[in-house]
Each structure stands twice: as C-alpha cells, then as structure tokens.
Amino acid sequence: MKSVKPLLEVKNLHTHFFTKAGVVRAVDGVSFDVKPGETLGIVGESGSGKSITAMSILGLIPSPPGKIVDGEIIFKGDNLLKKNERQMRQIRGKEISMVFQDPMTSLNPVFTVEKQMVETILAHENMTKKQAKDRATELLNLVGIPDPNKRLKNYPHEFSGGMRQRVMIAMALSCNPSLLIADEPTTALDVTIQAQILELFKKMQKELDMAIIMITHDLGVVSEVCDRVMVMYAGKPAEFTETKRLFDNGKHPYTIGLMNSIPKITPNKEKLQPITGLPPDLRSLPTGCSFAPRCKHVMESCLTHDPTLSKVDDNHLVRCLLYEQTKKAVTT
Ligand SMILES: Nc1ncnc2c1ncn2[C@@H]1O[C@H](COP(=O)(O)OP(=O)(O)OP(=O)(O)O)[C@@H](O)[C@H]1O
Ligand SMILES: [Mg+2]
C-alpha cells in the first residue's frame, strides 16, 4: 500500500497536571498519526485522557497546573510545541478547528450567530464584512440549516440542540481547516439527531477533504464514521488499528471489554458484560500494566511490567503482555 505522509503526528506525548494532591498523568505516552482526509477515532472511558490529548494538540492546556512534559506534535511538518501563543492562535480555527460536546459552552449567548460567525471568519480571512456574512450564510446552508439568511439573526438559545451543533460545525468549518477535532460532538443529542450530525460530518469531510479526529466513548459512533481508531486507557494507547479490524479482531482485553459492554439485539438475549472495577487513579498508577487490576487475563508479569505498544500485524498495534509472548497466567 502506498504510504501517505501524515497531516498530524503525535509522538510520545506526555501531559501532566501538577496538583497539590499529586501529579495527574492525564496523557502518558500517546503516539498516533492522522492522514489527510481520514477520520481517526479516539475512544475510551471517562478520564482516559481523550480531551487532554485534543487540548494538547490545540495548545489549550491550562498552565499551571497542566504542562506538556514530553513529546512532539508535528502538524504539516512543524512541531506545534515550539510555537508561541500568537502563532498557535493563527493555527487554531484556521488550520485546526474544534467542535465540543456542548455548543452552549462555546457559543456566546449574548450575540447573534451572525456576529459570532462573521467575527470568526474575519479573524482569519482577508475579507470584507459583507463577504464574511455571505460566507456565513453559505456555511449554514452547507450544514443543512433551512433559511440561513434569517437564522443568522438568531441567538444561540433560539436553535434546537441539533441545530446548535450544526451552527458549531459551520463555525468550525468557516476557514476550511485541514483538521477538525470533534470532542464528543453528538453525546448531548438524541439518537436521530446524532445520526444526522454524523452523516453531516461524513458529507463535510468528503466535500472539504479534511481530516477529522473524532473523540467519543461510544463505539457505535466509531463504527459509523472512523477509518482507524485508537483505544485509550489511563492516558495511554491500548490498541490502534483500522476500525473494521478492531471490530472483527480487537485484541486488547480492554477493547474486548468495551465491545462486550455494548447492548446487542440478539435472539438469545445475551447478558451485557460490563468491565468490572474502576479506572485507576492517574496520580498513583500501578507499577505494571494499568489495566491489570481489571483484566480477566492478568498474568503475574502484568503486575510488574508495563507493556509497550507492539505491532501484532500490519497497521495493528496492541499494548498488552499477551502479545509480547510472556509468562504464566495468574487467573484466566
Ligand atoms: N485542570 C486539571 N487539573 C487536574 N487534573 C485534570 C485537569 N484537567 C483534566 N484532568 C484530569 O486528566 C484526566 C484526563 O481527562 P480528560 O478530560 O482528557 O478525560 P476524557 O477521556 O476526555 O474523559 P471524558 O470522557 O469524561 O470527557 C482526568 O483524570 C482528569 O481528571
Ligand atoms: Mg473529554
């Protein structure tokens, strides 16, 4: 297969929070790449470091207490960690933009959608106000908001949840970014609206040839839209492969646990099998594999040796001692 140069490469990223209660290792050795035009999913339980990974890419880690203590974030050949705030502001919104879970936290309730969209466009594009307004109308139309000229005059609260999310997506697309990071963009929406928004992402991606990082805790969303997926556990990648392969042949016990905890409609109504136990405290991670205390296949060596992300096949990486050909099982 022809190898495509990645648009984004995150290499060995470590983002920690230095709190009075200890060092929170929110992201602790994350590496992945995103190719132009692809959708990469990042999936994992609450607190696994998905949003902090995204915020690290965008240079939005609150400091103090947060700090990127190691790693590189290479975007279009440049290390973003070497950029200053002014340079990052140019990149955010223009080259890389973001859609958050709850649009009400990112839209300003006291301004009309027109004012907010026009300002965003003018901040990055060399346009007149009139041109920016035309662009805003065009974008609302693109994301499927009927009567866009009239709707521009509305305030955020005058839109339904699904429509507000469309407005957010339109704003994120306003400067034709080459990478869009969507952090749980459909979690707050009901399932029909969720399906519409996911369709919209797919359509936009095709039309605008942009890459997407889709952050979600929902494997259903991953199967709908992602080409490849990184499963995260306790600030580290547990598994990284193509979506189809993850669903057909997921290997990490955590990935399999996530799959078994999705409800399925089957004639014999199999019981859901939730992953028992809780994610670890990121301030005092266990010595070995951080998933070991919850793992059905835990071996003695898992308690002392933290596995590395290893290649089990082409385009398939797993961080588990079962795949590093090791020792005796403690329980099965
Ligand atoms: N400002 C902060 N100070 C201390 N710890 C923080 C701070 N922000 C985030 N963290 C911690 O970093 C870890 C990773 O958080 P993150 O928001 O990336 O999780 P997530 O995977 O996005 O979860 P969710 O699915 O709930 O959104 C969490 O344990 C969180 O408590
Ligand atoms: Mg999050």
Side-chain angles (χ1 to χ4, degrees), residues 5 47 50 58 76 86 92 107 109 114 116 135 147 162 177 183 195 203 215 217 226 241 265 294 302-303 313:
K5 210 168 158 233
K50 306 180 298 293
L58 289 159
K76 293 190 172 171
R86 192 184 54 78
R92 276 197 300 268
L107 287 169
E114 174 175 328
Q116 298 183 56
R135 173 96 181 116
D147 208 355
D183 192 353
K203 177 171 161 250
I215 297 177
H217 59 263
C226 299
T241 189
I265 302 174
R294 302 172 76 185
C302 302
L303 305 173
D313 210 333

Side-chain angles (χ1 to χ4, degrees), residues 207-226:
E207 280 178 26
L208 306 174
D209 190 29
M210 118 195 119
I212 299 179
I213 297 180
M214 179 67 71
I215 297 177
T216 178
H217 59 263
D218 185 343
L219 279 172
V221 171
V222 169
S223 72
E224 278 290 314
V225 295
C226 299

Side-chain angles (χ1 to χ4, degrees), residues 17 19 24 26 44-53 62 65 184 217 282:
F17 290 91
T19 71
V24 181
E45 280 167 307
S46 186
S48 55
K50 306 180 298 293
S51 298
I52 299 300
T53 301
E184 306 272 7
H217 59 263
L282 298 177

Side-chain angles (χ1 to χ4, degrees), residues 104-225:
M104 276 320 257
T105 55
S106 344
L107 287 169
N108 191 328
V110 301
F111 296 121
T112 61
V113 163
E114 174 175 328
K115 186 167 167 62
Q116 298 183 56
M117 288 189 76
V118 166
E119 263 175 22
T120 310
I121 296 167
L122 290 178
H124 295 287
E125 305 283 336
N126 193 9
M127 282 187 183
T128 64
K129 247 190 167 160
K130 164 86 177 64
Q131 286 169 323
K133 193 189 157 194
D134 290 346
R135 173 96 181 116
T137 313
E138 187 192 317
L139 284 161
L140 286 194
N141 192 34
L142 192 71
V143 298
I145 294 188
D147 208 355
N149 244 321
K150 202 167 134 215
R151 296 299 263 161
L152 275 177
K153 305 281 176 233
N154 289 149
Y155 290 85
H157 72 268
E158 295 176 279
F159 289 84
S160 67
M163 284 294 164
R164 252 194 317 259
Q165 198 55 294
R166 285 175 193 259
V167 171
M168 279 306 301
I169 296 169
M171 280 176 78
L173 298 177
S174 54
C175 301
N176 276 329
S178 36
L179 176 64
L180 177 74
I181 303 180
D183 192 353
E184 306 272 7
T186 59
T187 307
L189 306 171
D190 67 58
V191 281
T192 21
I193 308 294
Q194 169 169 328
Q196 289 172 10
I197 296 289
L198 292 180
E199 275 310 311
L200 177 63
F201 272 111
K202 282 198 258 185
K203 177 171 161 250
M204 294 296 103
Q205 181 169 42
K206 233 187 239 152
E207 280 178 26
L208 306 174
D209 190 29
M210 118 195 119
I212 299 179
I213 297 180
M214 179 67 71
I215 297 177
T216 178
H217 59 263
D218 185 343
L219 279 172
V221 171
V222 169
S223 72
E224 278 290 314
V225 295

